[in-house]
Amino acid sequence: EGRETKEGLILVAEDSHHLVIAEANAETDFVVQNDRFKHFLHDCVKQALEGRVRSLADLVQQPYYKDKSITIDQYRNLVVQSLGENIQLRRLEMISKHPNSSYGIYSHMGGKLVVVVEITGAADQDLIAKEIAMHIAAENPEYLKPEEVPATVMAREEDIARSQVEGKPANIVDKIVAGKVKAYTDQFCLVNQKYIKDNSVTVQQFLEACAKKVGKSLSIKCFWRWKVGQ
């Protein structure tokens, strides 16, 4: 139980009303690739989805659906004994689906990195949402849009920018600082990033082009980017 668990897998499961993301960890990738470990994570996600579990703390105390004489945590202990490594359920999130939203799921590196994207405006555009999820996996945005960047972060970036233009004429300092701050938001805000498959447009412009094709107003509501151990 005290050994470090740096390896792991992330798994997503969904039905028509909910979506679950969960991460389980072990000490070595050898155990992570073992079928017993994979079955354990699959069972946990299945139980969380079917039982509408809201937190990891709730899940581990539930009776295991295949053997109600033990809890999920006791099931985990049996897997630990079987595989000889510390195994932990690290995190879990239950996402409630909205009837007018589409959900894109992208799993990369065999479940080491998973992205989920929610797009509002239509319930049948999962493929567009998945395209954006693939972009997020590659480009790792920290925020959805500039308005979501914390004021403290923006102030820090302004201070850095001003320190880089000391000694320049006062009438151009503000323009340079504004340009550097915009460059920061273009790099770290999803909607401002250059779209990975076509860097002539931003992610926002890509989405607007898709919306025009399908005749619906689409917007990115939120995203989840989970990396093992992050």
Side-chain angles (χ1 to χ4, degrees), residues 92-160:
L92 177 145
E93 185 157 353
M94 172 77 73
I95 300 166
S96 295
K97 290 185 174 181
H98 297 281
N100 196 40
S101 289
S102 298
Y103 296 84
I105 302 168
Y106 179 64
S107 180
H108 188 52
M109 300 186 295
K112 302 288 187 182
L113 172 64
V114 170
V115 178
V116 177
V117 175
E118 179 181 348
I119 290 178
T120 61
D124 57 353
Q125 300 302 321
D126 291 350
L127 289 178
I128 293 174
K130 185 175 181 180
E131 288 289 326
I132 294 174
M134 292 169 68
H135 169 95
I136 292 168
E139 294 301 294
N140 192 19
E142 294 185 15
Y143 311 99
L144 174 57
K145 50 192 175 183
E147 295 82 358
E148 293 186 1
V149 180
T152 53
V153 174
M154 293 296 279
R156 181 197 68 201
E157 291 303 314
E158 286 188 20
D159 288 343
I160 292 171

Side-chain angles (χ1 to χ4, degrees), residues 51-225:
R52 302 293 185 255
V53 172
R54 292 296 171 182
S55 71
L56 191 57
D58 289 340
L59 175 64
V60 297
Q61 297 303 319
Q62 281 201 349
Y64 175 36
Y65 74 97
K66 288 183 180 177
D67 179 359
K68 293 188 181 297
S69 69
I70 60 172
T71 64
I72 288 291
D73 196 51
Q74 289 169 331
Y75 172 32
R76 180 187 66 83
N77 282 325
L78 292 174
V79 180
V80 168
Q81 292 170 30
S82 171
L83 296 178
E85 284 193 11
N86 185 14
I87 293 168
Q88 297 290 334
L89 281 168
R90 184 167 183 270
R91 51 181 169 167
L92 177 145
E93 185 157 353
M94 172 77 73
I95 300 166
S96 295
K97 290 185 174 181
H98 297 281
N100 196 40
S101 289
S102 298
Y103 296 84
I105 302 168
Y106 179 64
S107 180
H108 188 52
M109 300 186 295
K112 302 288 187 182
L113 172 64
V114 170
V115 178
V116 177
V117 175
E118 179 181 348
I119 290 178
T120 61
D124 57 353
Q125 300 302 321
D126 291 350
L127 289 178
I128 293 174
K130 185 175 181 180
E131 288 289 326
I132 294 174
M134 292 169 68
H135 169 95
I136 292 168
E139 294 301 294
N140 192 19
E142 294 185 15
Y143 311 99
L144 174 57
K145 50 192 175 183
E147 295 82 358
E148 293 186 1
V149 180
T152 53
V153 174
M154 293 296 279
R156 181 197 68 201
E157 291 303 314
E158 286 188 20
D159 288 343
I160 292 171
R162 288 189 184 280
S163 71
Q164 294 171 343
V165 294
E166 286 181 356
K168 291 191 178 292
N171 63 327
I172 65 168
V173 166
D174 287 344
K175 288 183 179 179
I176 295 174
V177 169
K180 287 182 176 291
V181 170
K182 184 180 184 303
Y184 173 84
T185 58
D186 287 352
Q187 182 179 354
F188 292 105
C189 295
L190 174 60
V191 295
N192 285 11
Q193 287 182 330
K194 294 295 185 183
Y195 179 45
I196 191 77
K197 289 187 175 180
D198 179 5
N199 63 15
S200 70
V201 297
T202 64
V203 170
Q204 180 62 35
Q205 289 167 337
F206 163 73
L207 184 60
E208 288 170 356
C210 292
K212 190 174 181 180
K213 285 180 183 177
V214 300
K216 296 180 180 179
S217 179
L218 305 176
S219 63
I220 304 168
K221 182 180 180 182
C222 53
F223 66 88
W224 296 258
R225 186 185 189 275

